Amino acid sequence: MTSTRLPWGVSTAAGTVAFTVALAAPVRAHVQYVTPGGDAVDALGFLLGTLADPLNAGLLGGGAVVGAVALLAYLRVRPARHDVLRLRELLAGYGDLLPWLLRLSVGLPLVGAGFAGYLFTPVFTPGPPTLVRLFGIAVGFCLLFGFGTRLVAAVGLLTYLWALARSPDLLLAFEYVPGFLAIGLVGGGRPSADQVIARMAADERTVYSKIDPFYRRVAVPFVERVDSFRRWVPVVLRAGMGLAFVYLGLVQKLANPGDALAVVAKYDLTAVVPVDPALWVVGAGLVEAAVGVALLAGVFVRLSSGVAFLMLTTTLFGLPDDPVVAHISVFGLVSALLVTGAGPLSFDAWAAREVPDSVPEPPERAVDAGD
């Protein structure tokens, strides 16, 4: 692993933060899911006012210092090294089930969106409603069954990009981009209809193998080319999820503090943790943005993914009317990062001075028919 990869990851993360901040103006917050929004508040003045309070500044600064010191101390001492390596090995051992995890993560919320009548996110309901419902149900079920997986993922990605061009609200569901891309790279995997069809087509003793013109002429050559890019799945996932979390923190909270304050007030969150409501907003925004930057740069990716999972779980239990189905994709893709690790072009790989985590090859290598 060369040292040039660390500056690449850090500079990419910094550039992404700047780009995400530039998107703040035209987009409303995720709190549209649970509140109609709040009063307009000057974002910069709100942030400076919050930090001007000595208690708020002390809590935020102290937490940041403690976290940074703890991470640096870990890198220096490396306690329980064998346990960490063993845990990484065990998590990576689920790599053969990664395609299934990805398909569930994207397919389930798409089916839910189809039955509910929205496209990717509850705040975007274009017409005609019948086509929107058919798209979500059809694409979602195909992914769940693993039928024509790569083709269906491509259709889903193109549809998302088309919808995003129509409405910036689709940034609320940006996790679908890395989800579709990762599915396109790994295919249907197992268990899937594609794998069953592939096994039938690969066995020359079956009648089906003699009548399927697609498997050997199209599927096999295509998958052989795509398989060389499987190692980039962790990069695709953490880059996409990193962007999503940076967006959640910077754009939806720090750039829209009025809407975020409405959520704090609606659920009386200051009764849960008795701090200034402004500190709730700024603290949550900074933590989400920090997790996003960590994923982008590949810094302690499995730990960062665990923190993200904990935040999502707390949010769902704390906001009882938040639509759970809209977050399944984020839960699933964060879980996928626990399996893949950081992958190449990451701080983790640079710091370990070893071959980066990659997507383990499944034990059976037959090509997925229909991919």
Side-chain angles (χ1 to χ4, degrees):
M1 182 62 56
T2 61
S3 59
T4 57
R5 289 184 175 178
L6 177 58
W8 182 94
V10 174
S11 62
T12 299
T16 300
V17 170
F19 174 74
T20 306
V21 172
L23 295 175
V27 184
R28 287 187 54 78
H30 164 81
V31 297
Q32 286 176 304
Y33 288 175
V34 294
T35 73
D39 297 331
V41 176
D42 176 63
L44 180 59
F46 175 83
L47 178 61
L48 294 177
T50 303
L51 297 179
D53 185 297
L55 178 59
N56 291 344
L59 290 174
L60 290 173
V65 170
V66 170
V69 170
L71 292 179
L72 291 175
Y74 171 81
L75 288 174
R76 179 70 175 176
V77 179
R78 298 292 181 94
R81 179 173 177 80
H82 179 76
D83 298 75
V84 173
L85 293 176
R86 181 58 175 160
L87 178 62
R88 289 173 54 188
E89 179 186 357
L90 292 171
L91 290 173
Y94 293 108
D96 64 316
L97 298 177
L98 180 63
W100 190 23
L101 175 58
L102 293 173
R103 290 190 288 108
L104 290 174
S105 303
V106 177
L108 284 172
L110 280 178
V111 172
F115 280 110
Y118 62 82
L119 190 62
F120 296 111
T121 171
V123 300
F124 185 62
T125 54
T130 301
L131 290 180
V132 172
R133 291 177 182 273
L134 287 176
F135 168 81
I137 294 171
V139 172
F141 272 118
C142 283
L143 291 178
L144 290 178
F145 285 108
F147 180 73
T149 307
R150 285 188 165 103
L151 176 60
V152 172
V155 170
L157 178 60
L158 291 175
T159 303
Y160 175 87
L161 295 176
W162 166 83
L164 179 61
R166 295 188 57 189
S167 172
D169 282 339
L170 264 295
L171 288 171
L172 293 167
F174 186 78
E175 70 274 5
Y176 279 100
V177 172
F180 284 131
L181 288 174
I183 291 172
L185 290 175
V186 302
R190 67 182 186 95
S192 68
D194 286 345
Q195 187 200 38
V196 173
I197 295 173
R199 295 297 179 267
M200 294 291 293
D203 189 344
E204 297 182 354
R205 299 170 298 177
T206 64
V207 174
Y208 178 77
S209 67
K210 297 176 173 56
I211 62 175
D212 183 348
F214 176 79
Y215 177 75
R216 288 182 176 81
R217 295 179 182 178
V218 179
V220 172
F222 176 78
V223 175
E224 286 176 348
R225 291 186 178 183
V226 173
D227 267 359
S228 61
F229 297 98
R230 286 176 60 95
R231 66 188 297 264
W232 296 105
V233 169
V235 179
V236 169
L237 289 174
R238 64 180 173 81
M241 296 308 297
L243 280 169
F245 277 101
V246 169
Y247 175 79
L248 286 172
L250 295 186
V251 177
Q252 295 189 9
K253 291 183 176 62
L254 298 182
N256 291 278
D259 291 346
L261 284 171
V263 175
V264 175
K266 176 179 178 179
Y267 297 102
D268 194 19
L269 296 181
T270 55
V272 180
V273 179
V275 297
D276 182 4
L279 184 59
W280 259 99
V281 175
V282 173
L286 291 177
V287 170
E288 288 179 344
V291 168
V293 172
L295 293 179
L296 284 166
V299 177
F300 293 102
V301 166
R302 287 190 170 97
L303 175 61
S304 300
S305 299
V307 172
F309 194 95
L310 179 62
M311 288 192 304
L312 291 167
T313 303
T314 304
T315 299
L316 291 183
F317 280 103
L319 309 181
D321 52 351
D322 203 359
V324 177
V325 69
H327 300 294
I328 291 176
S329 53
V330 184
F331 269 104
L333 297 181
V334 166
S335 300
L337 281 171
L338 293 174
V339 175
T340 67
L345 300 178
S346 66
F347 172 86
D348 286 354
W350 176 86
R353 299 295 202 279
E354 59 188 24
V355 178
D357 293 326
S358 60
V359 181
E361 297 293 342
E364 297 178 290
R365 296 294 301 145
V367 173
D368 293 341
D371 287 5

